[in-house]
Each structure stands twice: as C-alpha cells, then as structure tokens.
Amino acid sequence: MIERRRASAPRGVGSGAPGERKPMAFVLLAVAAFALAACQSTQSSLHDFEAPGETDSAGTGSEVNLASLTEVVQRNPNDATAYNVRGTALGRSGRFEEAYADFSRAIELNPSFYQAYSNRALVQRRLGRDPLALADYNAAIQINPDYADAYVGRGNLYRSSGQLDFALNDYSRAIELNPVDPRGYFNRGSLYQQVGRHEDAISDFNASMTYAPNAFDTFNARGLSYLAIADYKAALDDFNEAIKRDRNSAEAWTNQAIALEKLGEPGKAFNAYARAVTLKPNYRPAQDGMRRTQGSASSA
C-alpha cells in the first residue's frame, strides 16, 4: 500500500499530470503516416496527448486535416482504422462527442480494436463518464494485456478517483511494458509527489526527462518536489527552465517566486509574482505572494 504523507510543497501551484493539463497538448501525427491496414500504429492513439510537453505542431486536429480524414472515411466506410484515425484528430481538437462516435464505429467494425477502446475511454473521461471510461480501459487491456497506453490512461483514471494503489500498479506496468515512454514515469512521479514521496517523484521525473527532455510539465513538477525537500536552488533552476518553455504560465512564475523567497530574494520574488498576476489577475497564490513581498520590489 502506498504510504500517504502530507506533501510539503506549496498548494495552488499546480503540477497536474500532462493528461490532466488544460489546454491539452498533443504529439505530432502526419497524415502521410495514416496506414489504413490491419497493422495498427500507436500514432493513432489519443493517449499521445498525455505525454508531457508535446504540442500539436502538425495541426492534426485542423479543419483541413479533418476534411482529408473525412474523405478517407468516405472512401473506406467499413475500415475501422479510418474511423479511429479521424476520431483521434477529432479528440485532439476537443470535439469529443464526434470522436466518441468515430471510436464507437471503429469498435463496431472491429470488436478486437483495443486501441479504439483505449481512445474512447479517454474521450469518455473528457465527457465526465468515468465508469464507462473504466469499462473501455478494461476492455482494451483484456484484449491486449501488453498495451501500455491503456495502463497509463487507466492509471490516470484511478489516480483522479483516489485509488492510488491501483494507479501505482498501472503506471508501473506501463513502464515495464514500454520503458522509453515518458508518460508512465511522469504520471507515477506525480502520484509519488501527491503522497509526499518526493525523492521517488524526482527519480521518476528524471527518467521522464530522459525521453522528453523539453517538457514544461516535468520541469515544473520536479521543481515542486525540490521545493518540498528544501532544495531551493534546484527548484529555482527547474522553474527557470519551465518558464523558458512557457513564459505565459502564471503557475511557473509563481513557483519561481516562491523559490526566490526561500532563497532570500524578496525583491526578485515580488517581480515574479507581479508577472504571474499580469498573466492571471485572480491567481490567489501570486496575489498573496505580492502582498508578502511588497516593499521589496527591485529592478532585477
């Protein structure tokens, strides 16, 4: 059983798992890679957007791309893969009901299509249908017990519902099945952080960075664990790196300010809090930080 301890990291400076972060981030998925054949590719997995720090720079959910995918579906109306691929693009664009319909059609055409079950499970989660999502994850794993994506997704579902031991088992199984995927490490690290096991969290965040070295989420999350164990210099370094990757994150600026406060730099901290408030005027942790450090503003 996971030992549950009170985490000492500051609250309200979130480090949620990438799959829970909004707006969602997505991986590259080129239309040319859509092979409508019996062999299924993890490129058609909606769970790719639960990887830390990825972006949809290929525009896979764009209207142009969706129009192209619709043409493919129309030319191949009985091809389950065509529906799964279009459903993935629809999900990445936030059109969850339409994505649900496509994944359901893919499953109807191919009841053994475990990727489509896993994809539909994530859409079910986004639609607030957690019991149905769990049923779909279970179906995907029953069909293919070695499908790591489904374990990551089900682990996130378990963690969000407070079933931390089940979540830990799923993340660890995902890592065992696919040890080069950053998602398993990141999400397990986030779970460890949640229960106050910050050294374990840092170890998993380090592993995640090995395979996703430019992820904003991972730098921000690891910084919070460094804060919790009072390694304020390491925390500041991580928050600086997070800000380099997303200068519009009020949370990252606030976290940087907290680290600066701990390091005895209230003037610089005030400036960072002020930046956070500029980006997110009603963000309470930044407002509170400004009040604590007012009068210490500097030009640094």
Side-chain angles (χ1 to χ4, degrees):
M1 178 175 292
I2 298 173
E3 179 184 355
R4 302 193 188 193
R5 299 197 298 267
R6 183 180 301 276
S8 55
R11 294 302 179 189
V13 284
S15 64
E20 309 305 324
R21 189 180 174 217
K22 295 181 178 62
M24 291 181 293
F26 307 109
V27 297
L28 300 180
L29 181 61
V31 177
F34 295 161
L36 301 180
C39 180
Q40 307 300 330
S41 168
T42 56
Q43 286 181 308
S44 297
S45 169
L46 192 57
H47 284 276
D48 288 341
F49 76 60
E50 295 194 302
E54 300 290 354
T55 60
D56 186 27
S57 57
T60 61
S62 70
E63 291 300 323
V64 172
N65 189 49
L66 285 169
S68 298
L69 296 177
T70 296
E71 291 179 6
V72 173
V73 169
Q74 290 171 346
R75 291 196 302 269
N76 302 271
N78 295 314
D79 193 316
T81 304
Y83 287 97
N84 185 59
V85 171
R86 188 176 67 175
T88 300
L90 286 165
R92 288 172 170 161
S93 65
R95 295 163 64 172
F96 299 129
E97 290 287 3
E98 294 170 85
Y100 171 82
D102 270 2
F103 294 137
S104 295
R105 179 59 177 158
I107 292 166
E108 181 182 351
L109 290 167
N110 180 2
S112 298
F113 201 162
Y114 57 88
Q115 295 99 327
Y117 276 108
S118 188
N119 286 339
R120 190 173 71 174
L122 186 52
V123 167
Q124 301 272 38
R125 287 201 64 201
R126 295 296 184 260
L127 292 170
R129 304 167 184 167
D130 283 3
L132 295 176
L134 179 59
D136 275 347
Y137 282 131
N138 290 341
I141 290 168
Q142 183 175 7
I143 295 167
N144 183 359
D146 295 331
Y147 189 45
D149 280 7
Y151 288 99
V152 171
R154 192 175 69 175
N156 287 340
L157 177 59
Y158 281 139
R159 184 157 65 93
S160 69
S161 65
Q163 301 181 74
L164 302 186
D165 292 309
F166 288 148
L168 177 62
N169 289 338
D170 274 359
Y171 294 146
S172 297
R173 179 60 175 156
I175 290 167
E176 179 184 349
L177 291 168
N178 191 356
V180 299
D181 188 336
R183 295 171 302 168
Y185 297 107
F186 178 89
N187 286 295
R188 191 175 69 177
S190 297
L191 186 154
Y192 284 142
Q193 185 178 76
Q194 181 177 344
V195 299
R197 292 173 55 176
H198 293 288
E199 297 287 356
D200 291 330
I202 290 167
S203 177
D204 271 353
F205 293 142
N206 289 342
S208 182
M209 285 180 176
T210 301
Y211 307 108
N214 295 312
F216 163 89
D217 292 305
T218 315
F219 279 105
N220 194 54
R222 190 176 67 177
L224 290 174
S225 281
Y226 278 131
L227 272 185
I229 63 173
D231 190 343
Y232 303 128
K233 179 60 170 63
L236 179 61
D237 289 343
D238 271 355
F239 297 138
N240 288 342
E241 291 298 323
I243 288 169
K244 287 180 184 178
R245 288 155 178 78
D246 185 357
R247 298 192 64 83
N248 293 318
S249 171
E251 290 80 5
W253 283 102
T254 301
N255 293 340
Q256 182 200 62
I258 292 170
L260 287 166
E261 268 197 274
K262 295 292 187 180
L263 289 167
E265 297 278 1
K268 292 180 180 179
F270 177 88
N271 291 343
Y273 285 129
R275 174 69 173 171
V277 169
T278 299
L279 292 166
K280 195 173 183 179
N282 296 321
Y283 190 47
R284 183 65 179 271
Q287 293 174 336
D288 292 344
M290 285 188 71
R291 280 191 288 271
R292 285 196 308 271
T293 56
Q294 64 184 354
S296 301
S298 76
S299 60

